[in-house]
Amino acid sequence: MADDVAPDEVDRIVAAWGRERPDLDTSPLEVLSRVTRLARHLDLARRGAFARHGLETWAFDVLSALRRAGAPYQLSPGALLTQTLVTSGTMTNRIDRLVEHGLVRRRPSPDDRRGVLVELTPAGLAQVDAALADLLASERRLLRALPEADRATLAHLLRVLVSPFDEAS
């Protein structure tokens, strides 16, 4: 532990387990309990950023998938399923709700007479862009304690840790 960083709740938990169960290696808690705690803080920050723009997390996920697709900001419902990892019924419900709010519209697919494309409306584009800018500002604040080089190292280490889970799914 660095001398300039005070002990945290995880340190107290690990010390207590070390006292109560000295027969167990509690070192995984030092990393993964902090990742869990960070994930909670990140989730709250993200929800707050999205809420300031009238969005829930699921709505941002769908709108941002469309935005990342590039102009004309449209994808098939199947492509949205792949990017957001939800069921077909859930996606249909989400698209319906976004249509009701004027953030997306359904268009006939030019490649499939029975198919549709989901497209961002100008209002949806403006809302997702504003929410993304707010999100990134919030996340920069969360990372401000880490120097840029440490951020790059942490990003690499987390990629190594997460990669096997992504490959399995």
Side-chain angles (χ1 to χ4, degrees):
M1 180 168 50
D3 295 337
D4 60 342
V5 179
D8 65 2
E9 185 61 24
V10 174
D11 290 322
R12 289 184 275 283
I13 291 168
V14 169
W17 278 122
R19 184 184 65 247
E20 295 300 315
R21 291 295 309 271
D23 57 311
L24 296 177
D25 172 15
T26 59
S27 63
L29 296 175
E30 294 181 45
V31 174
L32 299 178
S33 291
R34 287 186 176 97
V35 169
T36 299
R37 295 171 76 80
L38 179 60
R40 286 187 198 134
H41 292 293
L42 180 57
D43 185 53
L44 290 172
R46 285 183 166 190
R47 288 175 190 264
F50 302 149
R52 286 188 290 277
H53 298 278
L55 297 173
E56 294 181 52
T57 301
W58 65 263
F60 180 82
D61 287 347
V62 174
L63 296 175
S64 65
L66 292 166
R67 179 64 168 100
R68 289 190 311 268
Y73 312 114
Q74 58 187 20
L75 292 169
S76 69
L80 286 169
L81 286 173
T82 300
Q83 291 193 31
T84 59
L85 303 174
V86 298
T87 66
S88 177
T90 298
M91 182 54 65
T92 298
N93 180 272
R94 289 179 177 182
I95 293 168
D96 289 345
R97 290 173 65 187
L98 292 169
V99 167
E100 287 173 18
H101 288 94
L103 301 176
V104 302
R105 63 180 151 245
R106 287 182 173 93
R107 295 258 190 217
S109 172
D111 303 325
D112 178 1
R113 288 180 36 203
R114 295 176 297 153
V116 298
L117 294 173
V118 179
E119 180 181 68
L120 273 178
T121 63
L125 179 65
Q127 205 159 355
V128 73
D129 278 354
L132 177 63
D134 197 356
L135 169 66
L136 292 173
S138 174
E139 290 186 353
R140 272 191 294 281
R141 284 189 299 274
L142 285 172
L143 291 171
R144 71 178 166 233
L146 286 179
E148 195 66 38
D150 289 348
R151 292 180 200 178
T153 299
L154 180 58
H156 171 74
L157 293 171
L158 290 171
R159 184 181 307 111
V160 169
L161 191 59
V162 171
S163 183
F165 294 99
D166 289 347
E167 290 170 4
S169 61

